[in-house]
Amino acid sequence: MKSLESAASPSDPSSVLLAAEGISKRFGITQALDDVSVTFLAGEIHALMGENGAGKSTLGKVIGGLHRQDTGTVRIAAGPGQMRELTPGSIDDAFHAGVRIVHQELAQCPNLTVAENLSLHDLPRTRMGLLDRRAMTERAAALVHRLEPGIDVEAPLGLLSPGRRQICQIAAALDDRSASGGSSPRVIVFDEPTSSLSIAETERLLEITRKLAAGGITIIYVSHRMGEIFAVCDRVTVLRDGKFVATSRVRDLDEPTLVEQMIGRRLSTPTGKLPSLAAEGGHVAHPGKPLLKVSGLSSASKLSDISLEVREREIVGIGGLVGSGRSELLNAIFGLDVHARGRVDADGKVISGGGPRAAIEAGIGYVPEDRRLQGLFFLLGVGENTVVPYMKRLARALGIRNQAGESRLIRDRFAEFRVKAASPASLPGELSGGNQQKLLIARWMGEGTKVLLLDEPTRGIDVGTKAEIYKLVRAAADAGAAVLLVSSEMPELLALSDRILVMANGKVTGELRDGEMTQANILKLATAEREMPAGQEAKDAGRVLPAR
Amino acid sequence: MSQSEHPAARPSFFKRILQAQESGLILVILLMGLLLTARGGTKPGEMQRIPLPEAATVADVDGVLVISSPTDEPLRAVRAALGDGGKGLSNIRITSGGQSVSAVSASNPRVLDGPPRALLVSGSESKFLNSQNLVLLATQASFIAVMAVGMTAVIILGGIDLSVGSIYGLAAVIGAFSLRALQIRFLGPGADVLNASAGGAPWLVAIPVGIGVCCLVGALCGVFSGSLIVGLRVHPFIITLGMMAILSGLVFVLTGGQSVSGFPESFTKGFMKMPAGKVYPVPMLIMGLMMLAGMFVLSQTVLGRRIFAIGGNETAATYAGIPVGRVKITVYTISGMLAGLSAAMYLGYYGAAAPGAGQGYELDVIAAAVIGGASLSGGRGSAFGAVLGALLVQMISNGMLVLEIDQSYTQIVKGAAIVVAVVLDQAKARLAPVGR
Ligand SMILES: Nc1ncnc2c1ncn2[C@@H]1O[C@H](COP(=O)(O)OP(=O)(O)OP(=O)(O)O)[C@@H](O)[C@H]1O
Ligand SMILES: [Mg+2]
């Protein structure tokens, strides 16, 4: 799998394509980058790693001209043996030099079609000067289908799953514009590209990444997933608190050493091989009374007749492929789906029909899949973002806010979930991606939450914190909560769940317990009922995240 | 982690006011005031009566009033009262012993014959910067400002209410009918309600009826549009546009195009137009009160924060269990109610409801809210800003009068002011991406 040898790059592998030298960047009181120097070689896949808020995205944005560094220069190879300085803070200059960024947060127009999104910069015209829809569709299809053949490029982008939206964004970055007088990509920054991809999509992306690197393109790869780093990356640079720690060759490293570089200490439970937390404490044998009971839940074409039960002190995982209806199920349980039929009981109370209010009052907390769209209020402070659902409960008479109580709750939650924010008045946009996610978890997990619905809860969260969050979820369960966990990350699902339900096509296709809980079994059930072209099915089932 | 140790580090209430974007708005208002003072010219001010000494003689020489006396002594007091004038054009000249001592230009100098003899002049004062004009400006702004506070809440929510002007009109008309009916009840049938100088409904009844009816009408209109917006999931622009037309039509049906008057004096001269010295402070007081209430509700209550949350991200608000529909209806209700309150102020202040009352007010009100910093894409805005915005909008109308520019240009300038305000607001957001 190590690709330094296999990626026979046409250009000299040791030639420097891009060099960031002495980069510093400060946001208010946060020193996001502090004198960081990294060189990127032509045709290498270079991982950037570090905890949440270490400065990875900021470095990527400085390279791409989205942020203007306070000091330091970014230089890119221009002709043999020559380097040219990129104008600081100029997106145009970086773009013309061939720098592309696939952002951590999705930046697209959901109301336009996939094809339109991909052609926004230069919509193709017919000779009459009208929009050439055919050319646009063809170009988009060529770009997208390389990554994911199943995407309908004429569908509005907003209808796609987050994973597929992410793929479209990657496709846009790969667009070679040299033919139309533009530039071809030479450096692509992938900022956590796989955080919303399914296993099959991830594998396809990794494959593409290798091919691109083999073609001489430099890939800067930001990810918290160890498996991917060890599977595709040649070198890795670690940042900690905005400072450069080390650049090493991946094959000279092992996971514990890498983690140690990132967090400055050794982690007791490396995430790659999480011990089955479920086995600790022996609570599996006696989960308590059922806290969440779902019977005959159906909704239009998305869910059909789902019944399940989650007991006190139990974590039930839900496996399945993207689009199998897992998020729809959580939405319906939380009362967000007005078309849902069926009955949901939480803690002995019927909550179906009562909307999210009833769910929250019954003690359900829900960390939704898309933190930007469904989670955060970007114009409110991070503190208020946390207490929004509880403001009413904390308030004094006449709905007057109890700010002391709110501050106390904010302080407690931030400390418990290690949300790194300058102050409760900071805006969520100023937080690193991982900290935004932690903010959302901090909102919903805490005392008073009896049933916890988690949809990809550790998306974008660093290894150290991930382990912490696993412990917190387990602790919440041990303290009596019932947890329903949706995750596309197999190790996470396997490590946390007491039992696993697998969904396909809006139905529960099976339940796995104890020894049956394996990646292979999950995939078998997940593809069991999939109505798909025959070949596709086998491919999806067969591709598994490379074991490390 | 060390950074999150800050307790709820929110700046103090006072500091927030200073830091807020409103400081820029205050600056604009002051600059505009300066401009109007400088360019607006002067007008005759108050009459001044200067006693003339017996010894002096007064003659009109080619339109110049010549006051003379053999000695300077008796004229000193007159000179002091008139002040030393410029050297140029003058219409009063004072001579003593045949020698011209001073020349003053005053407006409308007249001599009042007959004992005691006196000189009448009116001092000149700035057309803009005089207490009468400023008070008038603030009073007229208060009608807009009260509605702008409600509009700000609507806009923060991500909505718009085009019907405030018509709600104002309808509330005024129904309020006027009620007040007249009340007056008739107290005076007895057949009494001349229009010219009853005394008697009529006491304030204890008239004020609650006047304010209550107007607010109730406004609130009902708000509930109605709010429910339609939420229930039918139609954009508020459409619903309130429809409401605007329906309600203003209703006003004409109800009044038949006639104005309505004959209110209890306890509501007009006894309350809304109660004099204190030379000013009628009640509308301004109500404006201040509503501004404070708006600031309090928006920042210190659960409802207020929910409004901001919904305007910022409605989907996330739904996921956070905020009763989005209920909050929306509440906010449109409040906006309607404030339009009603404003109508009550108008009834009491002017003592009559004209059938065209409130027409075109939506432009002023929306302008005030937007100039005051409310973002039409939702999630941003302030009640204090709205009141300042209303002052600025009123200042534009007032300035057109002062500068003697054709009134038809007022709308053009107001429109331009909205555009400039929004552009400035966005430029500022781009310049300072960090912090609040
Ligand atoms: N626009 C901004 N305004 C203020 N602070 C910012 C801004 N962008 C980033 N920061 C701060 O800079 C630091 C580094 O952020 P960055 O996004 O680079 O982290 P990251 O390494 O990408 O983390 P993650 O893994 O969570 O995505 C963080 O502390 C963050 O709060
Ligand atoms: Mg990041």
Side-chain angles (χ1 to χ4, degrees), chain A residues 331 334 336 356-357 360 366 372-377 379-381 384 388 392 395 399 401 403 407 422 425 430 444, chain B residues 3-4 6-8 10 296 299-302 305-306 308-309 313 315-322 378-380 435-436:
Chain A
N331 270 349
F334 198 62
L336 285 161
R357 271 253 62 86
I360 291 168
Y366 179 22
R372 274 190 97 70
L373 205 64
Q374 302 158 333
L376 297 173
F377 302 102
L379 297 173
L380 295 184
E384 266 188 69
V388 151
K392 186 88 191 185
R401 285 166 71 192
Q403 296 204 355
S407 310
E430 298 162 18
W444 290 115
Chain B
Q3 293 162 340
S4 60
H6 291 265
R10 48 176 60 250
F296 180 80
S299 68
Q300 307 294 316
T301 66
V302 176
R305 302 322 288 172
R306 285 179 166 176
F308 277 95
N313 188 345
T315 312
T318 314
Y319 275 76
I322 293 175
R380 260 190 261 265
R436 23 167 52 186

Side-chain angles (χ1 to χ4, degrees), chain A residues 116-402:
Chain A
E116 283 164 334
N117 266 285
L118 286 170
S119 297
L120 278 183
H121 51 95
D122 54 344
L123 291 165
R125 314 263 163 103
T126 61
R127 260 177 302 151
M128 304 283 288
L130 299 175
L131 179 65
D132 189 347
R133 280 203 166 270
R134 175 111 63 83
M136 186 173 79
T137 308
E138 278 167 9
R139 183 164 81 186
L143 282 169
V144 172
H145 292 166
R146 194 142 63 113
L147 302 177
E148 172 67 64
I151 294 178
D152 174 8
V153 294
E154 284 171 292
L157 190 101
L159 294 185
L160 267 51
S161 71
R164 293 190 157 189
R165 291 212 294 271
Q166 178 70 281
I167 293 222
C168 293
Q169 209 179 339
I170 295 167
L174 298 183
D175 191 3
D176 187 339
R177 309 221 184 114
S178 49
S180 54
S183 62
S184 51
R186 294 166 73 202
V187 177
I188 302 182
V189 181
F190 280 128
D191 198 350
E192 303 190 29
T194 56
S195 60
S196 44
L197 300 194
S198 70
I199 294 167
E201 289 165 337
T202 301
E203 181 53 25
R204 212 161 294 141
L205 176 80
L206 295 184
E207 202 172 286
I208 295 263
T209 312
R210 285 194 204 99
K211 267 195 216 143
L212 289 169
I217 294 178
T218 298
I219 310 284
I220 302 177
Y221 197 89
V222 181
S223 176
H224 291 295
R225 298 196 174 165
M226 290 288 172
E228 295 166 12
I229 303 299
F230 285 95
V232 295
C233 295
D234 303 311
R235 297 198 302 158
V236 52
T237 293
V238 174
L239 300 177
R240 186 161 73 229
D241 290 335
K243 294 193 189 63
F244 173 85
V245 176
T247 298
S248 340
R249 296 213 301 184
V250 170
R251 59 172 154 181
D252 299 340
L253 276 182
D254 58 358
E255 190 176 312
T257 319
L258 184 54
V259 171
E260 194 180 346
Q261 284 183 356
M262 285 164 58
I263 65 178
R265 68 192 152 84
R266 276 189 111 78
L267 200 65
S268 51
T269 54
T271 46
K273 17 184 150 123
L274 267 170
S276 177
L277 289 163
E280 289 171 13
H283 42 263
V284 189
H286 34 241
K289 61 177 195 305
L291 276 184
L292 178 71
K293 238 187 190 157
V294 175
S295 24
L297 197 60
S298 303
S299 172
S301 59
K302 297 176 287 183
L303 299 173
S304 59
D305 194 26
I306 294 199
S307 299
L308 58 86
E309 212 177 73
V310 187
R311 296 164 168 270
E312 215 172 9
R313 296 192 288 280
E314 190 183 35
I315 302 178
V316 174
I318 301 184
L321 302 176
V322 171
S324 58
R326 297 169 301 170
S327 302
E328 285 79 2
L329 172 62
L330 297 194
N331 270 349
I333 293 176
F334 198 62
L336 285 161
D337 185 346
V338 286
H339 305 295
R341 302 274 166 278
R343 185 178 148 135
V344 180
D345 294 74
D347 200 15
K349 289 184 277 281
V350 186
I351 58 160
S352 34
R357 271 253 62 86
I360 291 168
E361 264 153 32
I364 301 190
Y366 179 22
V367 178
E369 184 178 20
D370 186 333
R371 60 172 173 261
R372 274 190 97 70
L373 205 64
Q374 302 158 333
L376 297 173
F377 302 102
F378 283 86
L379 297 173
L380 295 184
V382 291
E384 266 188 69
N385 262 284
T386 316
V387 292
V388 151
Y390 314 110
M391 236 179 217
K392 186 88 191 185
R393 211 174 58 205
L394 291 170
R396 291 181 233 279
L398 292 174
I400 294 171
R401 285 166 71 192
N402 169 4

Side-chain angles (χ1 to χ4, degrees), chain B residues 163 166-167 170-171 216-226 243 247 332-333 336:
Chain B
S163 64
S166 318
I167 294 181
L170 185 70
L216 186 70
V217 170
L220 287 177
C221 294
V223 171
F224 189 64
S225 0
M243 281 294 278
L247 296 182
Y332 282 97
T333 307

Side-chain angles (χ1 to χ4, degrees), chain B residues 19 60 70 79 100 107 121 192 245 269 276 349 355 398 402 412 431:
Chain B
Q19 280 178 343
D60 192 333
R79 283 222 320 267
S100 176
S107 34
V121 291
D192 182 5
K269 292 200 189 93
Y349 192 81
N398 188 274
V402 167
I412 299 177
L431 286 179

